[in-house]
Amino acid sequence: MMEEESSLSSDSSSESDYSENEGKKEQPRKRKMTTQRYSRQSLEKLIEDKSSLPVTCGDKEGSLFIEKFNNSEKCILSEDQWFKPSEFEKFGGKEKSRKWKTSILCDGIPLQKLIEDKLISCPVFKKRRIKHEKSESRESSPVTVRLRRTKRNSSESSHDSGTHRRKKARKKLVSSSSESEESVHYENNDDNINNNSDDDDDDDINITMFQGPTLPVTCGSVTGILHKKRFAKGHCGKCIRTEDLWLTPEDFLRLGKQDGIWKKDIVAHETTLGKLILRRVLEPDAVSCDCDVCQELNQTDQQNDDDCYVCDSEEEVVCCDECPRAFHPHCHLPAAVDIDSGSQWTCTFCVMRKMEESNQRTRQEVLNSPLFHYKLHCQYLLLYLLHEWTAAEPCTKVSDNESKCKADDIKLNLQNDNYQTVDEFVTDIEHIFQHRTSEGNNDFSRMEHLFKEEFKTIFKLI
């Protein structure tokens, strides 16, 4: 048993080596061991509903606290002392290995296996940057250390600086990399991305702020929404949605700054994308990825939204040729049916944008007008309102089915020409607002204000 553990602790193979060993018939001993120990079911049972895990390294035993581990804190308690994984590896006499993921075992299983099966996370345990203190020795001074590191980094980047930067943001960091390699990744990133920070402590990032499928991002004065499922690399994968188009991170950078680095200059909640990559909030595709996005094939497929602009759900959508919006055929007004494949199609939003209204009117003049004179305007207003409904808080969308049904009735009446005047249409809309805003619903108060402002804009009211 001890021989098997020793073999595991000294194994320097990457994550893929474990999966390859499982399938090699010429090594029956290892195959038997992995089949017995590394089955997914047994691993899940090992950590099921546990806040801590028993771990060993060399002749030392301890408990790994999962929450502290996920937060990159000192997480292993042994002999009344707290350790980071690399410190516990040294405490157990395995410092020469410098591979804590394989040196530290949980019930005889390396932490690396739990990480690669995504049963526990793989946080980055950053090392503190060297403080600039006075030193008598030139060789041991912080300045010398940083210059030495810079010289080493510059020689690497002179070979292939682009590849070097991409390696630091790979979708899957090689789990078997040593602790020293991880600290180099961090320090390089610190020099390149956060070189204007004087904080000696590790960066405290509240991960809960970055949950969900999207992130609000800025670069200079430019704003957009980053969609995580579209994120691939800096130069490919149009993942940032602005008001008018989809952009790659590098394209978005050029809108905000003429010269810059997208990992450093694009920010979400005051945190750079480079830091979010280190914390696995964002996971770039591997350098060698050969998917259509990374090979930059089918670029037109990335120019429009994946979800319907009205109901925010997927399935087959019709894409506008003049803006990024996409719609389910029957969500759009008028319904986008009988459209030939390959033909040009423009949504109501773009049609309204190009429409020129020369005459200004009073509100009462518009309300008294026959609806068929302004049917397109009313269709636009309802689509605008339904989109804002989708953007409302989840509790509003889920709990207020009655108002949603009324909005669907308005849509049906508009399609069937059941309204005689614009006033009838507006009255039904305002009835929804009056009912919900009287209950103190802030989302409907916001939508009522947006509706009134948009009404003034498109009718050019005096």
Side-chain angles (χ1 to χ4, degrees), residues 416-431:
N416 295 335
D417 298 324
N418 292 336
Y419 293 119
Q420 300 301 312
T421 63
V422 174
D423 183 55
E424 293 178 6
F425 165 75
V426 173
T427 299
D428 278 356
I429 295 290
E430 290 179 340
H431 179 73

Side-chain angles (χ1 to χ4, degrees), residues 106-117:
C106 175
D107 194 26
I109 300 172
L111 293 186
Q112 175 178 321
K113 184 59 183 174
L114 301 180
I115 290 171
E116 78 175 59
D117 283 0

Side-chain angles (χ1 to χ4, degrees), residues 124 126-130 145-146 149-150 152-153 164 168 179-195 278:
V124 177
K126 304 174 183 176
K127 291 190 174 182
R128 293 177 181 268
R129 285 179 289 164
I130 302 170
V145 173
R146 182 167 291 277
R149 185 191 310 135
T150 303
R152 182 174 64 251
N153 292 344
H164 181 67
K168 293 182 293 180
E179 186 70 12
S180 60
E181 288 173 336
E182 290 182 10
S183 67
V184 169
H185 283 162
Y186 162 66
E187 291 176 354
N188 287 343
N189 186 76
D190 183 79
D191 292 339
N192 294 333
I193 295 176
N194 198 30
N195 56 7
L278 285 177

